[in-house]
Amino acid sequence: MAVRIVTDSACDLEPAECEQLGVEVVPLSIRFGDDEFEDRSELSVEGFYDLMAEREELPETAAPSPGKFEAAFRRQADAGADTVVCINISSDLSATMSAAENAARACEDLDVRVVDSKSITAGLGTQVILAAEAAEQGASADEVVALVEDIRGRTRVFGSLDTLDNLKKGGRVGNAQALVGSMLSIKPMLDISSGSVEEAGKHRTRKKALAALKAAIDQSDGVEHLAVMHGMAPDVNVMTDLLDADGREYRVGHIGPVIGTHGGPRVVGACWVVPARD
């Protein structure tokens, strides 16, 4: 049985990675006032952060339509998929899951499984990578879904913000509400490991904030598939230097427009998976 993976553009995987894995990405939309752009195809990562610096209004995101997901599912079926597993950004943060579920119901003639990653950016991306690799190795749809459901409970996502403006306006504050109205000079750290936004600390300098992000990794009960993600942060090397000093292996990627809309410019995040315990 051929299983193919579909996801959305909050995964922050590079196009080349998706092509190699055989993963199709359904894009969200980014709005600046009356101007709307399709993520990836009409707005690059660099272009997004440049535009955010130029425009007075803060950007907003919009979930894909069910029709875009349905078209992706049918393309995968036409390409030989017996089953499509669609892994999406946390349902607590976006209506994207709902759109994918509606599309799956519309595809009565196809076997489509929609899975909530309960994660964002490289947390979602890592789940997609591991699911696609398992499918390539012959895993069944049930096995792929079970894999993702297991990994999502062990996925950790922390982010260090350089500004609170985007998070406040975007309404994704969640249980980090106490940060709103705090001193503008603070550098908050957020924990999105549960799929919703939780406060994980606040620091007075950027250096201390990045050190705290590194400490969150060090204090974890094991680290696999570590990724450092950033919103065009010029000082991301501060974080990678800390990891290099420990000899850690990791990949570096960009936080794209979907998450960057809420995290703001210069956000730096770390995503990893805690090893399974017997």
Side-chain angles (χ1 to χ4, degrees), residues 173-227:
V173 177
N175 288 333
Q177 184 69 37
L179 290 172
V180 177
S182 297
M183 293 172 56
L184 295 178
S185 60
I186 68 166
K187 306 299 179 185
M189 186 164 74
L190 305 178
D191 181 354
I192 316 100
S193 302
S194 66
S196 58
V197 180
E198 307 278 349
E199 181 183 350
K202 44 192 175 184
H203 309 276
R204 292 191 177 276
T205 67
R206 176 73 159 182
K207 184 177 180 180
K208 289 181 179 179
L210 295 180
L213 187 59
K214 166 65 162 46
I217 299 170
D218 293 340
Q219 293 163 9
S220 178
D221 190 17
V223 176
E224 295 179 342
H225 309 293
L226 177 61

Side-chain angles (χ1 to χ4, degrees), residues 196-260:
S196 58
V197 180
E198 307 278 349
E199 181 183 350
K202 44 192 175 184
H203 309 276
R204 292 191 177 276
T205 67
R206 176 73 159 182
K207 184 177 180 180
K208 289 181 179 179
L210 295 180
L213 187 59
K214 166 65 162 46
I217 299 170
D218 293 340
Q219 293 163 9
S220 178
D221 190 17
V223 176
E224 295 179 342
H225 309 293
L226 177 61
V228 174
M229 309 296 289
H230 68 102
M232 305 305 290
D235 57 351
V236 69
N237 64 291
V238 173
M239 184 66 186
T240 57
D241 287 348
L242 291 171
L243 296 174
D244 290 340
D246 287 350
R248 288 193 182 273
E249 294 184 1
Y250 58 90
R251 67 184 180 91
V252 178
H254 288 121
I255 293 175
V258 174
I259 306 305

Side-chain angles (χ1 to χ4, degrees), residues 8 16-17 20 59 70-71 76 85 107-108 114 119-120 142 147 149 157 177 182 193 202 215 227 252 270 274:
D8 59 69
E17 291 178 288
Q20 182 178 1
E70 182 177 353
Q76 294 306 313
V85 177
C107 296
E108 296 180 353
V114 180
S119 196
I120 60 172
D142 288 343
L147 173 68
E149 290 178 341
V157 180
Q177 184 69 37
S182 297
S193 302
K202 44 192 175 184
V252 178
V274 175

